[in-house]
Amino acid sequence: MKAAPPDLEIVTRKGKPVSVIIPIKDYEELLERVEDSEDTAWLKRARRKPLQYRPLEEYLAERQQP
């Protein structure tokens, strides 16, 4: 296992790690990676489905309905 970066803080309770405090830049990068992973998973699922096409007019008429 890699050593923790020097700007990372591990919070413990009764000697067991319960939380991590990281710089906001690292946190934002983690969130971006999670979002990218979710997008990739969605794309893989979408590619497994057969493509279905319909006329543009049909789609637009559906969107106009209240």
Side-chain angles (χ1 to χ4, degrees):
M1 181 161 63
K2 293 182 180 180
D7 52 353
L8 178 122
E9 296 286 332
I10 298 175
V11 179
T12 60
R13 185 174 295 142
K14 297 181 182 178
K16 295 186 178 185
V18 293
S19 300
V20 178
I21 300 172
I22 60 174
I24 192 69
K25 183 177 178 181
D26 293 346
Y27 172 74
E28 290 169 345
E29 183 180 317
L30 285 172
L31 285 180
E32 191 171 318
R33 286 183 180 197
V34 168
E35 290 171 357
D36 290 347
S37 175
E38 290 171 347
D39 292 345
T40 301
W42 178 89
L43 184 59
K44 285 180 181 180
R45 286 191 307 273
R47 286 182 174 168
R48 283 187 234 137
K49 295 179 182 178
L51 295 176
Q52 297 178 355
Y53 298 98
R54 60 184 173 159
L56 176 61
E57 293 79 17
E58 181 182 317
Y59 170 76
L60 292 175
E62 182 181 297
R63 300 244 333 153
Q64 295 292 329
Q65 296 176 357

